[in-house]
Amino acid sequence: MRAREITPLALDSYQRAARVILSNHLVTTSYPDRAALPLLRRWATELRDDLLDLFGYRLEVTETTARLFTVSDRLNPSAPAQTATERTFDRTRYSYLALCLAALGRVGNQITLSELADHVAADAAQVDGVELSTARGADRDAFVDAVGWLGVRGAIALADGDANGWASNPEAGEALYDIDRSVVVALFRPPRALQHLHSIRGLLAAETSQAAEEDGVPVDAKAIGRRVRRALVERPVVLAGELDQHELIALAQPKTASDVEMLTGLVAERRAEGIAMIDPTGRLSDVRFPSTGTIAQVALLLAGEIADRILDVDAPELPKLPLPLESDDHLIEQLDAAIPEAGIFEDLADEDAEPVEPGSEPADPEEPATYPLIDDAWLADKITELVDQFGRTFAAQWQADHNGLRKQSLGLLQRLRLTHAVPGGVLVLPVLARYRDVVVNVRERDPLIDFAVDNSAPEPSSEFSGSTEEPEVENA
């Protein structure tokens, strides 16, 4: 491993470079910031070797871009594209984004927003269920969101005009963009040509760990180790109950987590239930927790309340259930149903679009791990209590919408793998215990300061902050 050859004084710089490319996958002269690409170029050779050896990832670095080509073991719904206001892309915006990339690959070095819209509209007309009409404000807004996503990453750069002005009135507004062709090319580089696939499974890594030696298929220990290390940097927590027997052996080996620690600077927290890679820098996490905002603060409070309920020896014992087996089959079927068969090159396409059949199971499978179940009624009551106690500090939209606040807060806890939703409630996962003993501080604003800013002398207000001494959970 090349990281072990780097001097202690330079190791921090190397680990910062690894975190940058693992968290962004694409780095340009301006994205995520202007210091990122020079840092990656400095360590390109060492990173290229370590990322390939540890994860099976391929790194390409040029003068203007650095692109990490990852390997996907499963579909990941936790990292969607987002607008500038952090709204998750819907199907329309994803469609416009793909069509924008296709159009930008066919034009020159500059293009106006209206010209790009005409290209996308023409291409959209050839796809069932997709349409771009510049006469509709909703279509223009979605189109500008897709263009903005490309602009943030440096694929295009605003040379003149205003995209929002065009979105408000395409007859009066206009915008001119310079095109960075190297970024456009780097953005869309699937591991296989999509025209050669009958199923989205062809983009996922082979499930070699399901093969057993007694079946005559040798177990690839190196591939299994890479898959486990990929899970360590891609998931907030890797639970032992989710792994097969070969992956458990790899996870138990100290070198598996220590190699990830050496590369990234993360700290492995081992428990009997699994491993969480803790990010003390906050640079690799795409979700900071604890954090600011009503949802994050209520989620932290709720985590503390749940931990207290589980540790309460006087309360009735909670039922325990195993985690439901997660399967991508339904989502894969939906995606496969959308593949236009007319665009597939049959001579080069995979004939077998069926999922890989698992190998034989162990003769005496172990009992699955079980986790406490907190029911929906208890959660609803607890949210009501938190609103009654701290509601004046919450955003106005959540003060009356208790149900929405509960769903959003639990959604964040599930994304962080602190809980798992099941019918009737949530299963509490072990890492949630890190957020017990939550400390609550309500800071009152000085009314004199508000008076100095606003002569209308508003009523004193307060803000809520939740804190914990534990570092935040990594969620790359």
Side-chain angles (χ1 to χ4, degrees):
M1 184 178 180
R2 299 292 294 270
R4 301 189 185 280
E5 304 170 3
I6 298 172
T7 64
L9 289 177
L11 185 59
D12 178 68
S13 173
Y14 180 72
Q15 291 174 337
R16 281 191 289 115
R19 291 194 297 268
V20 165
I21 195 61
L22 283 171
S23 58
N24 294 286
H25 295 181
L26 173 70
V27 173
T28 65
T29 55
S30 60
Y31 179 80
D33 55 58
R34 295 190 179 279
L37 186 60
L39 178 65
L40 284 168
R41 286 174 57 82
R42 174 187 176 186
W43 297 108
T45 301
E46 294 85 352
L47 280 175
R48 188 179 294 113
D49 292 344
D50 281 349
L51 290 168
L52 180 62
D53 181 50
L54 295 183
F55 308 111
Y57 294 165
R58 181 167 57 87
L59 176 65
E60 289 186 3
V61 180
T62 69
E63 292 185 1
T64 57
T65 63
R67 183 70 163 91
L68 184 66
F69 297 94
T70 60
V71 177
S72 298
D73 297 296
R74 61 179 188 175
L75 300 180
N76 179 16
S78 66
Q82 293 184 321
T83 68
T85 56
E86 298 186 351
R87 289 175 52 200
T88 299
F89 269 36
D90 54 17
R91 296 177 66 179
T92 299
R93 285 167 172 78
Y94 277 122
S95 299
Y96 292 166
L97 178 59
L99 294 175
C100 281
L101 278 172
L104 292 173
R106 302 192 300 263
V107 298
N109 295 324
Q110 284 189 323
I111 192 171
T112 64
L113 190 60
S114 59
E115 288 174 337
L116 182 57
D118 290 340
H119 283 291
V120 170
D123 291 341
Q126 303 177 43
V127 181
D128 293 339
V130 181
E131 182 183 6
L132 170 59
S133 173
T134 56
R136 287 196 294 264
D139 286 6
R140 295 196 302 271
D141 290 340
F143 174 71
V144 168
D145 284 339
V147 170
W149 190 93
L150 293 169
V152 168
R153 283 151 185 79
I156 54 177
L158 184 65
D160 192 17
D162 178 21
N164 291 327
W166 179 89
S168 299
N169 185 356
E171 299 297 330
E174 185 58 281
L176 176 66
Y177 289 94
D178 295 324
I179 301 172
D180 189 325
R181 196 156 302 284
S182 62
V183 178
V184 172
V185 171
L187 266 172
F188 185 67
R189 296 276 296 279
R192 300 187 58 192
L194 301 185
Q195 293 87 346
H196 299 174
L197 299 176
H198 282 290
S199 172
I200 201 72
R201 293 182 192 276
L203 298 177
L204 302 178
E207 300 179 3
T208 54
S209 71
Q210 297 287 355
E213 292 178 342
E214 53 266 29
D215 296 333
V217 181
V219 174
D220 189 341
K222 187 172 184 178
I224 293 170
R226 283 176 170 175
R227 181 162 57 254
V228 172
R229 285 188 289 268
R230 289 197 293 264
L232 288 174
V233 296
E234 291 172 357
R235 308 181 199 174
V237 185
V238 178
L239 297 174
E242 299 177 312
L243 307 180
D244 64 28
Q245 56 182 338
H246 304 299
E247 293 167 337
L248 280 173
I249 294 173
L251 186 68
Q253 295 174 354
K255 191 174 185 298
T256 300
S258 66
D259 284 347
V260 176
E261 289 179 306
M262 177 61 68
L263 176 68
T264 63
L266 302 178
V267 179
E269 184 176 286
R270 289 182 177 271
R271 294 290 185 268
E273 299 86 358
I275 296 181
M277 300 301 297
I278 308 304
D279 181 11
T281 69
R283 299 288 180 84
L284 187 56
S285 302
D286 62 342
V287 177
R288 297 181 68 91
F289 189 75
S291 185
T292 59
T294 298
I295 298 301
Q297 291 168 347
V298 172
L300 179 61
L301 283 170
L302 192 57
E305 296 288 349
I306 293 173
D308 290 343
R309 170 64 183 87
I310 292 174
L311 296 173
D312 188 354
V313 295
D314 296 326
E317 185 176 355
L318 294 169
K320 292 188 175 182
L321 298 174
L323 274 177
L325 295 177
E326 294 187 0
S327 175
D328 291 333
D329 290 346
H330 179 62
L331 181 55
I332 288 175
E333 289 175 3
Q334 290 181 305
L335 292 172
D336 289 350
I339 296 177
E341 293 292 334
I344 296 176
F345 297 151
E346 291 293 343
D347 292 341
L348 300 175
D350 286 342
E351 294 183 1
D352 183 12
E354 297 300 319
V356 178
E357 291 296 329
S360 61
E361 297 296 328
D364 298 313
E366 297 182 2
E367 290 293 324
T370 58
Y371 305 95
L373 172 67
I374 298 289
D375 63 67
D376 286 333
W378 186 93
L379 292 168
D381 291 343
K382 195 56 62 176
I383 286 291
T384 300
E385 292 179 18
L386 293 176
V387 173
D388 290 342
Q389 189 173 2
F390 303 109
R392 71 186 189 281
T393 68
F394 296 167
Q397 72 181 97
W398 302 118
Q399 292 180 14
D401 186 7
H402 295 190
N403 189 48
L405 182 60
R406 176 175 59 87
K407 289 181 178 180
Q408 291 292 327
S409 301
L410 289 174
L412 177 58
L413 293 180
Q414 174 145 338
R415 186 176 178 187
L416 294 165
R417 305 217 74 199
L418 304 182
T419 63
H420 186 92
V422 294
V426 298
L427 299 181
V428 183
L429 304 185
V431 75
L432 181 133
R434 305 185 80 256
Y435 299 99
R436 62 188 182 275
D437 301 327
V438 170
V439 178
V440 179
N441 297 308
V442 177
R443 296 193 300 271
E444 299 290 341
R445 293 177 183 167
D446 189 340
L448 294 180
I449 295 177
D450 288 338
F451 182 81
V453 175
D454 185 353
N455 291 330
S456 62
E459 291 295 324
S461 59
S462 57
E463 60 181 3
F464 162 83
S465 65
S467 63
T468 174
E469 294 181 356
E470 299 285 1
E472 66 193 45
V473 177
E474 181 269 336
N475 188 45

